[in-house]
Amino acid sequence: MNEILYIVMPCYNEEDVLAETSKRLLEKMNKLISDNIISSESKVVFVNDGSKDNTWKIIEEYHKKNPIFLGIKLSRNRGHQNALLAGLMTAKNYADMVISLDADLQDDINAIDEMIYKYYEGNDIVYGVRSARKTDTFFKRFTAEGFYKFMEKLGAKVVFNHADYRLMSKRALEGLAEFEEVNLFLRGLIPMIGYKTDVVYYERSERFAGESKYPLKKMISFAFEGITSLSNEPIKMITKLGIGILLISIVMIIYSIIQYFRGATVIGWTSLLASIWAIGGLILFSIGIIGEYIGKVYLETKHRPRFIIETFLNESKGEINKEKS
């Protein structure tokens, strides 16, 4: 026991919640340190993902007041997954274990204790899984749970009702570093690492303050990103759908020939028009999905950095500039 823990928190326009978040985490860290569960060298790392408000200034103030708080400032907004990866890849150089956590206080920080105990039992990855979604609206709950089930149907292995609240050992983080995808979907990548895993259940709370960073449009985009990043099942579905339409067309041709020899006159303008529009729409949809995959291949071949760290605040070195990955 008594190993170094780093808590990594991506932040985008979180000035409304940082005061309460830092207060609760400081209490939690001090308690864990005093109980000799984690090392006194343990830290909380805030990752500023190009925030437009005072988030970074607040992080700098916390760092000056208490060296337990560290700050990473990305050169620009790169999105939640890239910001989280930047924090994880930085923390793995200093910590024995790292817990990722959102800044909005919806994830119960009391689950951290059990995660750490699971780690000491020999688990390299411990997933925080929501036991209930009582605070979510019916629509949010229905779409979220439907997303996990749909991902599984398409062959993408994700942990049901798990977001990005998890503990990872240094060994697991080194395994994650071997994945070089530009199109990131960590919820699907991390189960691919392997090693021994376990689960901790907790109840998700309402957001303490501020607005959600995942409105419906962004949620749909995130879901589509996850599906196309982890599975090629949509392309297989297009093939199956094409074969199905071909078989229906053959049946309709045979039916039309039979009707012709029977002397029956079939006008069929409406059905013909509907068929043309339906098949045309299907073709465009299919091209769009295939194009999405081609676009991902295009981005992967460029090997662009997934993030660039402009500033890294820590208690011993002050600032380290222009790190990238």
Side-chain angles (χ1 to χ4, degrees), residues 236-256:
K236 294 180 182 178
M237 289 174 62
I238 290 174
T239 303
K240 295 174 183 177
L241 188 58
I243 292 172
I245 291 176
L246 176 62
L247 294 175
I248 292 173
S249 300
I250 292 172
V251 171
M252 291 303 297
I253 290 172
I254 294 173
Y255 172 77
S256 299

Side-chain angles (χ1 to χ4, degrees), residues 281-322:
L282 176 63
I283 291 172
L284 290 174
F285 175 70
S286 303
I287 291 173
I289 291 182
I290 294 171
E292 181 71 21
Y293 280 95
I294 293 173
K296 288 185 180 296
V297 173
Y298 171 72
L299 291 175
E300 294 291 345
T301 57
K302 284 183 169 293
H303 299 292
R304 289 173 176 169
R306 293 171 291 186
F307 57 84
I308 297 175
I309 296 177
E310 179 180 326
T311 306
F312 174 36
L313 301 175
N314 63 29
E315 75 283 5
S316 59
K317 297 181 181 179
E319 297 185 1
I320 299 176
N321 295 315
K322 297 183 179 178

Side-chain angles (χ1 to χ4, degrees), residues 6 16 35 54 56 72 148 163-164 175 189 266 283-284:
Y6 271 46
D16 294 331
D35 291 344
N54 293 316
W56 180 244
I72 295 175
Y148 288 108
D164 288 299
L189 285 182
V266 180
I283 291 172
L284 290 174

Side-chain angles (χ1 to χ4, degrees), residues 129-136 141 161 202-204:
V129 176
R130 301 163 190 169
S131 58
R133 288 179 171 269
K134 297 177 181 177
T135 59
D136 290 345
R141 183 168 60 252
N161 265 342
Y202 69 96
E203 286 196 19
R204 189 167 171 84

Side-chain angles (χ1 to χ4, degrees), residues 121-134:
E121 290 172 2
N123 294 285
D124 284 285
I125 304 172
V126 183
Y127 298 104
V129 176
R130 301 163 190 169
S131 58
R133 288 179 171 269
K134 297 177 181 177

Side-chain angles (χ1 to χ4, degrees), residues 47-76:
V47 184
N48 181 46
D49 184 24
S51 298
K52 298 177 182 178
D53 59 5
N54 293 316
T55 295
W56 180 244
K57 290 182 180 179
I58 295 172
I59 293 171
E60 287 181 311
E61 291 174 3
Y62 290 158
H63 172 68
K64 291 176 183 177
K65 292 178 181 178
N66 193 330
I68 198 172
F69 295 116
L70 308 184
I72 295 175
K73 182 181 181 182
L74 301 188
S75 60
R76 68 177 183 87

Side-chain angles (χ1 to χ4, degrees), residues 81-306:
Q81 297 290 280
N82 286 289
L84 177 54
L85 184 70
L88 294 176
M89 293 300 99
T90 302
K92 78 178 176 63
N93 299 320
Y94 305 92
D96 299 303
M97 52 180 160
V98 178
I99 292 179
S100 56
L101 180 69
D102 287 341
D104 56 16
L105 295 175
Q106 287 189 279
D107 297 321
D108 184 9
I109 63 172
N110 292 317
I112 290 175
D113 302 59
E114 190 176 351
M115 286 183 174
I116 296 172
Y117 292 137
K118 298 279 188 184
Y119 165 78
Y120 285 132
E121 290 172 2
N123 294 285
D124 284 285
I125 304 172
V126 183
Y127 298 104
V129 176
R130 301 163 190 169
S131 58
R133 288 179 171 269
K134 297 177 181 177
T135 59
D136 290 345
T137 63
F138 171 79
F139 178 77
K140 176 70 179 292
R141 183 168 60 252
F142 176 79
T143 53
E145 293 182 351
F147 163 71
Y148 288 108
K149 293 176 182 177
F150 186 57
M151 289 284 287
E152 187 175 355
K153 289 284 186 182
L154 293 182
K157 301 301 180 183
V158 294
V159 179
F160 186 75
N161 265 342
H162 164 71
D164 288 299
Y165 187 20
R166 70 181 74 86
L167 178 148
M168 299 181 69
S169 68
K170 180 186 285 289
R171 183 169 72 151
L173 289 168
E174 289 172 349
L176 178 61
E178 297 294 321
F179 291 82
E180 299 180 351
E181 282 97 327
V182 173
N183 302 283
L184 277 181
F185 187 72
L186 294 175
R187 300 179 195 182
L189 285 182
I190 290 174
M192 294 181 185
I193 297 172
Y195 298 137
K196 187 178 179 182
T197 66
D198 207 334
V199 169
V200 169
Y201 293 95
Y202 69 96
E203 286 196 19
R204 189 167 171 84
S205 306
E206 293 183 3
R207 184 180 175 88
F208 177 77
E211 297 179 356
S212 171
K213 304 304 182 294
Y214 273 93
L216 179 60
K217 182 179 178 181
K218 200 168 183 179
M219 283 177 60
I220 294 173
S221 176
F222 185 61
F224 193 68
E225 176 74 21
I227 292 168
T228 54
S229 294
L230 297 174
S231 172
N232 63 353
E233 192 64 30
I235 293 180
K236 294 180 182 178
M237 289 174 62
I238 290 174
T239 303
K240 295 174 183 177
L241 188 58
I243 292 172
I245 291 176
L246 176 62
L247 294 175
I248 292 173
S249 300
I250 292 172
V251 171
M252 291 303 297
I253 290 172
I254 294 173
Y255 172 77
S256 299
I257 292 172
I258 292 173
Q259 290 294 90
Y260 173 78
F261 283 108
R262 290 177 61 186
T265 302
V266 180
I267 299 175
W269 286 107
T270 304
S271 59
L272 179 63
L273 188 64
S275 299
I276 291 173
W277 279 98
I279 294 174
L282 176 63
I283 291 172
L284 290 174
F285 175 70
S286 303
I287 291 173
I289 291 182
I290 294 171
E292 181 71 21
Y293 280 95
I294 293 173
K296 288 185 180 296
V297 173
Y298 171 72
L299 291 175
E300 294 291 345
T301 57
K302 284 183 169 293
H303 299 292
R304 289 173 176 169
R306 293 171 291 186

